[in-house]
Amino acid sequence: MMRRSLIAFALSAACAAPVQAANLGDILNQLNNNPDLVNAIGGTVKNLTNANRTIGPQEEQEIGNGLASNMLGAAPLVNDSNLQRYVNDVGVWVASQSGATGINWRFGVIDTNTINSFAMPGGVVFITKGLLAQLHSEAELACVLGHESTHVLRHHHIRAIQSAAGKDALSNALQGVVAYKGNQQAQQIGANLASGFSEVYVRGLDKSDEFEADINGMVLCARAGYNPYALPAVLQTLDALNPQDSNLQMMFSTHPSPRARLDKIDQVVGDRLEPWASGTENTLRFGAATARYTTPAR
Amino acid sequence: MTTQPHLLHRIKPLALGLALCLALAGNALAESGVLIRKSDLKQKPFLDAATTGSVASGSTVTITSRQGAWLQVKSASGQSGWVKLLNVRTSTANSSGSVGGTLGTLGKVITTGSSGTTVTTGVKGLTSGEVTSTHPDPQQLSRLNSYATSSSQAAQSARSANLSRKNVPDISVTSTATSQGGDQ
C-alpha cells in the first residue's frame, strides 16, 4: 500500500512538467525511504543532480544498465549471436586501446532501421542495424565504436545529466531505473509510465563532446591497427544521405551535422594520423559476421 | 547504356528527361563529392607521391575508390588521381548549411540555448513510434551481458584478424593540424 502511494506520488510528480529540481529531490527522498524500490540503486540517485559530486564506476553502471534496459525495450538486440559476439570482439579491442581498465564493456547491435549509435554510462554501446547497413569495413565499424567508447571513457553523459538542463531528463531516467530495479508491480507501473519517462531519458551532448569523441575515436581506431580515416569515411557516407530521411532524423538533431564533424576533423586531425592510414581496412571476420546486414565493400 | 539511336527518337522528351534525372541521381548515390579547397591530384595515395595536376576548390568529382586517407577521383574534365579524403564533402543538400538546423523543426528537439546543447525528447535515433512503446526489458539486458567478452579474448580475436597495437599519441580536440588550409 505504502509502495503504491509512493509510486503514485512519483508518477504525479513526473507528470507535472516541468519537474523542478526541488521536486525531484523530494521524490528521491521519498523513494529512498522505500528499500524495495531503491535498494539496488541505493544512494546513487539521491545526490545525482549535484554537479560537483563524483559518480563512481558502480553507480555509472547501474544508471547505464537501467538506460540500456529501456533502450532494449524500444529496440531489442538483433537475434544473431555471431553478430553480437563479433561487435563485442571489435568494440572491446578498440575501447581497450584507451588503457582504461575495469570498465564492463558490452556492445550490441539493436534491431531498428534508424541510423545511429549510442553510449550509456558504465560501458554499454549500441549501434543500430540501420547504421551497420551503411558501413563498408571493419575499420569503419571500429571507428564508430571508438567514437561511442570515448563518450563512456570521458563520462560525457554523466556530465550532461549533472548539468542544469539535464535534470528533467534525469528525473525521467530515474523512473526507468527504479521500475527496472523494482519488483514486478513497479515494472508494470514502469511500463505504464512509458510515454512519460521514456520520452526524455537520453540527452543530446554538447557539440564539443561529439567532436572530442570523433577525434579520440580516430586515435583509438589507429591504435587498434585500423585506418583511422575510416571515421571521416563514415561521415562522408552519412553526409551523402538525404537529410530528410526519417531514419536520420534523430541522429541529425542530436549531433552536429556530418559536414561540421568533417570540418572539425579536417581542422584538428588533418594529416596527423596519416602514418597510420595504411592500417587495416577490412577483415574476413567482418564479412562473415555482417554480410547479411551491410553494403558491399567499396 | 547501349540504347540504339533509332530507339532514342521514339522516346518522348519527358521520358528522356526523367531517365536523365534518374541517371544523375544514381550518379550522386554512387559517390560524388565537392572539393572544399584547391587540391593536388596525386599519382598514388601517399603524401609524397608525384603530383599530376590539381582540382579547383568547389569543383565536383566522382569518387572511384578509397584508400587510407585518400580518395581516387575523376574530375569533370576527365583528370584522375588521388586527393585527400578530408578535402572532399559529400552533402547532397545545400553544402553550406547545417543539417541539424533545418531538421530542428522536423525532429522533436528542444534547444536549451546554453553552449549549443540540444535535448532530445525521444530516445536518440529511434522513431517516435518505437519510443512510445518503450518499457524496460531486463531479459534483453541479460542477453546483452551474455555476449560480453574480455579484453584478452578480444585481443586474441584481433590477432587472428592480423591486427596489432600501434603507438599513436593522443590528439587534443583544441589543437590545430599543422597542415590545415594546405592545398594538397
Side-chain angles (χ1 to χ4, degrees), chain B residues 24-95:
Chain B
L24 287 173
N27 207 29
L29 288 173
E31 298 205 281
S32 69
V34 175
L35 276 295
I36 59 163
R37 59 178 70 98
K38 180 170 178 269
S39 303
D40 285 346
L41 273 174
K42 295 282 191 180
Q43 201 166 32
K44 289 178 177 168
F46 306 106
L47 278 177
D48 53 3
T51 300
T52 58
S54 73
V55 193
S57 177
S59 55
T60 301
V61 292
T62 304
I63 300 166
T64 53
S65 74
R66 294 166 172 271
Q67 190 177 317
W70 299 83
L71 300 180
Q72 190 174 37
V73 299
K74 195 170 177 183
S75 71
S77 62
Q79 281 186 293
S80 286
W82 295 86
V83 296
K84 284 184 192 172
L85 179 152
L86 288 173
N87 287 359
V88 177
R89 298 294 178 272
T90 51
S91 317
T92 48
N94 189 333
S95 56

Side-chain angles (χ1 to χ4, degrees), chain A residues 18-156:
Chain A
V19 179
Q20 299 301 313
N23 286 349
L24 176 60
D26 289 345
I27 295 168
L28 298 180
N29 283 336
Q30 295 280 340
L31 290 174
N32 274 335
N33 291 331
N34 185 328
D36 279 351
L37 282 179
V38 296
N39 193 29
I41 47 177
T44 302
V45 297
K46 196 164 139 194
N47 296 313
L48 196 58
T49 54
N50 180 348
N52 297 320
R53 188 172 158 279
T54 303
I55 309 289
Q58 196 57 45
E59 293 171 316
E60 282 201 22
Q61 212 175 120
E62 291 294 351
I63 296 164
N65 284 349
L67 295 175
S69 182
N70 272 348
M71 182 79 77
L72 291 167
L77 293 166
V78 172
N79 191 13
D80 182 338
S81 56
N82 285 336
L83 175 71
Q84 302 294 355
R85 288 199 186 90
Y86 167 72
V87 295
N88 276 279
D89 277 343
V90 176
V92 170
W93 168 244
V94 172
S96 63
Q97 305 303 327
S98 68
T101 55
I103 297 175
N104 184 13
W105 293 108
R106 284 148 297 155
F107 295 82
V109 182
I110 56 173
D111 199 351
T112 166
N113 290 326
T114 56
I115 297 171
N116 216 337
S117 54
F118 316 86
M120 269 137 274
V124 175
V125 171
F126 290 137
I127 177 172
T128 65
K129 193 175 70 178
L131 178 53
L132 186 65
Q134 297 293 331
L135 303 182
H136 306 85
S137 66
E138 183 165 309
E140 292 189 357
L141 174 65
C143 285
V144 167
L145 299 181
H147 169 109
E148 295 302 333
S149 301
T150 301
H151 285 317
V152 173
L153 291 159
R154 309 268 166 106
H155 311 284
H156 287 159

Side-chain angles (χ1 to χ4, degrees), chain A residues 65 68-74 76-79 81 84 88-89 92-93 97 106-107 112 114 116 118 124 126 138 165 180 191 194 198-204 206 212 215 219 222-227 229 232-233 236 239-241 243-244 249-250 252-254 257 259 262-263 265-274 276-277 280-281 285 298, chain B residues 31 36-37 46-47 66-71 84-86 88-93 95 99-100 103 106-109 112 115-127 130-138 140-141 143-145 147-151 154-155 157-158 161-173 175-177 179-180:
Chain A
N65 284 349
S69 182
N70 272 348
M71 182 79 77
L72 291 167
L77 293 166
V78 172
N79 191 13
S81 56
Q84 302 294 355
N88 276 279
D89 277 343
V92 170
W93 168 244
Q97 305 303 327
R106 284 148 297 155
F107 295 82
T112 166
T114 56
N116 216 337
F118 316 86
V124 175
F126 290 137
E138 183 165 309
Y180 156 64
S198 71
E199 290 274 320
V200 197
Y201 73 57
V202 179
R203 187 173 179 274
D206 278 359
E212 184 181 356
I215 286 152
V219 170
R223 278 185 196 152
Y226 300 102
N227 166 25
Y229 292 89
Q236 285 182 337
D239 197 23
L241 296 173
Q244 304 303 318
Q249 210 176 69
M250 295 309 280
F252 281 5
S253 61
T254 56
S257 70
R259 191 185 170 95
L262 284 164
D263 288 347
I265 291 168
D266 186 31
Q267 180 200 332
V268 176
V269 179
D271 295 336
R272 289 163 89 170
L273 293 174
E274 165 83 20
W276 297 279
T280 296
E281 298 278 0
R285 62 178 184 169
R298 57 187 173 190
Chain B
E31 298 205 281
I36 59 163
R37 59 178 70 98
F46 306 106
L47 278 177
R66 294 166 172 271
Q67 190 177 317
W70 299 83
L71 300 180
K84 284 184 192 172
L85 179 152
L86 288 173
V88 177
R89 298 294 178 272
T90 51
S91 317
T92 48
S95 56
V99 171
L103 278 177
L106 292 172
K108 295 188 287 179
V109 178
T112 59
S115 66
T117 300
T118 54
V119 178
T120 58
T121 57
V123 181
K124 286 202 297 181
L126 302 176
T127 62
E130 288 170 309
V131 169
T132 49
S133 65
T134 294
H135 56 88
D137 193 332
Q140 281 283 316
L141 185 65
R143 265 192 71 201
L144 176 75
N145 292 338
Y147 297 129
T149 190
S150 69
S151 56
S157 178
N162 292 319
L163 290 157
S164 61
R165 192 183 187 285
K166 305 286 190 290
N167 283 317
V168 182
D170 279 325
I171 298 179
S172 162
V173 74
S175 61
T176 302
S179 67
Q180 195 243 332

Side-chain angles (χ1 to χ4, degrees), chain A residues 175-191:
Chain A
Q175 303 301 323
V177 174
V178 168
Y180 156 64
K181 281 296 184 184
N183 59 16
Q184 206 56 43
Q185 186 193 18
Q187 275 190 22
Q188 183 53 50
I189 289 164

